[in-house]
C-alpha cells in the first residue's frame, strides 16, 4: 500500500501564537519539513511593509494570490520528494484575508486561481489543520498584518472555520493559550495523524 504524503497546517488569525508554536514543535518532529510563513518571506524579498499590501483592494488581492502560488509550488515540491511537511498558515488563510480586506468579489477571483484550485484538489484527503483560537494573551502587533482587535480576530476565525468545513479539510482547534499545553496537544495529534491513513 502506497503511503500518502502528510501535510500539516497551523492556521488562524494573526497574533494567535502559530509561529511561536511552530518554532517550538518543529525540532520535536525532525521527519517533517518546516515551512515558515510565506507572506513574511514574500514581504522580505520585496522589502514591503503592510502599507504596500493594503494600499488598495487590488494590491491585497494580488498579494494573497502570490501567496497561494508560492504555497502551491512548495506543496508540489514536497509531493515530488514525498516529503511530509508542517506549515505556518494554510492555503485558506489568503482566501480569508482577501474576503475580509478586499471583499467577496476579490475572494471569488482568488478561488478561481489555478494554483488555489490545484491545492484544493490535493489537500483535503491527507492534511490536518490546527486552527488557533484567538487569545488576548497572544496579541501583539507584528507590523505585517493590520494591528489586531479581538473582534476582528474572532471574525477571521469564524470565516476560516467555515471555509475549512466547506472544503472538507480536517481540522482541530487549539484552544489553550498555555504554550506547553499547546505543544503537548499538537505533538500527540500530529503523531496520531502521521501514523494513521489518509484521514484524521
Amino acid at each position: 500500500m502506497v503511503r500518502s504524503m502528510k501535510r500539516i497546517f497551523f492556521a488562524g488569525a494573526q497574533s494567535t501564537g502559530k509561529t511561536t508554536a511552530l518554532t517550538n514543535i518543529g525540532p520535536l518532529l525532525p521527519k517533517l519539513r518546516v515551512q515558515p510563513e510565506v507572506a513574511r518571506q514574500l514581504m522580505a524579498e520585496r522589502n514591503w511593509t503592510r502599507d504596500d499590501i493594503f494600499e488598495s483592494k487590488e494590491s491585497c488581492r494580488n498579494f494573497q494570490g502570490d501567496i497561494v502560488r508560492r504555497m502551491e509550488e512548495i506543496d508540489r515540491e514536497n509531493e515530488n520528494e514525498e516529503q511530509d511537511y508542517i506549515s505556518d498558515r494554510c492555503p485558506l488563510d489568503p482566501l480569508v484575508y482577501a474576503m475580509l480586506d478586499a471583499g467577496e468579489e476579490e475572494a471569488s477571483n482568488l478561488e478561481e486561481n489555478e494554483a488555489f484550485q490545484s491545492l484544493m484538489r490535493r489537500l483535503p484527503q491527507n492534511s490536518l489543520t490546527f486552527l488557533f483560537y484567538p487569545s488576548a494573551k497572544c496579541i501583539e502587533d507584528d507590523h505585517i498584518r493590520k494591528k489586531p482587535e479581538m473582534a476582528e480576530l474572532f471574525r477571521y476565525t469564524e470565516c476560516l472555520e467555515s471555509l475549512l468545513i466547506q472544503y472538507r479539510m480536517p481540522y482541530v482547534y487549539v484552544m489553550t493559550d498555555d504554550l506547553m499545553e499547546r505543544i503537548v496537544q499538537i505533538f500527540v495529534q500530529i503523531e496520531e495523524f502521521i501514523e494513521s491513513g489518509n484521514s484524521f
Side-chain angles (χ1 to χ4, degrees), residues 134-184:
S135 166
K137 180 179 177 180
C138 299
I139 286 184
E140 64 179 27
D141 186 356
D142 64 5
H143 303 288
I144 293 178
R145 311 290 184 181
K146 291 182 177 179
K147 190 172 181 179
E149 300 289 342
M150 283 301 292
E152 294 176 351
L153 301 186
F154 282 119
R155 184 181 176 207
Y156 183 104
T157 305
E158 291 171 1
C159 289
L160 180 54
E161 183 172 25
S162 176
L163 288 170
L164 287 166
I165 293 169
Q166 176 185 332
Y167 282 98
R168 299 182 178 180
M169 288 185 64
Y171 70 96
V172 292
Y173 257 116
V174 178
M175 301 290 291
T176 179
D177 58 16
D178 181 86
L179 179 59
M180 186 56 65
E181 291 178 2
R182 284 183 166 191
I183 298 307
V184 171

Side-chain angles (χ1 to χ4, degrees), residues 6 9 40 46 80 94 104 120 132 157 173 186 198:
K6 302 294 186 181
F9 301 107
R40 294 174 187 267
R46 300 171 184 183
N80 290 340
E104 293 286 346
M120 299 319 297
F132 284 67
T157 305
Y173 257 116
I186 293 169
N198 289 343

Side-chain angles (χ1 to χ4, degrees), residues 78-94:
N78 284 312
E79 187 173 58
N80 290 340
E81 297 176 11
E82 299 182 346
Q83 173 64 56
D84 297 344
Y85 72 98
I86 182 169
S87 173
D88 190 342
R89 296 282 183 180
C90 85
L92 293 178
D93 278 300

Side-chain angles (χ1 to χ4, degrees), residues 2-61:
V2 178
R3 177 186 174 279
S4 296
M5 187 187 88
K6 302 294 186 181
R7 302 161 169 93
I8 298 156
F9 301 107
F10 284 11
Q14 70 208 71
S15 297
T16 50
K18 300 179 301 297
T19 302
T20 300
L22 184 59
T23 300
N24 281 271
I25 203 165
L28 304 178
L29 298 163
K31 292 183 180 180
L32 293 178
R33 178 175 289 168
V34 175
Q35 174 56 48
E37 184 179 359
V38 168
R40 294 174 187 267
Q41 293 179 320
L42 290 176
M43 290 179 71
E45 291 170 11
R46 300 171 184 183
N47 197 27
W48 275 18
T49 68
R50 61 185 173 197
D51 292 336
D52 295 306
I53 299 172
F54 299 109
E55 182 179 6
S56 66
K57 287 185 177 182
E58 183 180 10
S59 63
C60 180
R61 189 267 324 272

Side-chain angles (χ1 to χ4, degrees), residues 59-87:
S59 63
C60 180
R61 189 267 324 272
N62 289 340
F63 184 66
Q64 302 309 327
D66 291 343
I67 293 172
V68 168
R69 280 185 285 274
R70 179 69 64 85
M71 283 184 158
E72 199 276 336
E73 292 171 4
I74 290 167
D75 187 77
R76 191 171 295 280
E77 176 183 333
N78 284 312
E79 187 173 58
N80 290 340
E81 297 176 11
E82 299 182 346
Q83 173 64 56
D84 297 344
Y85 72 98
I86 182 169
S87 173

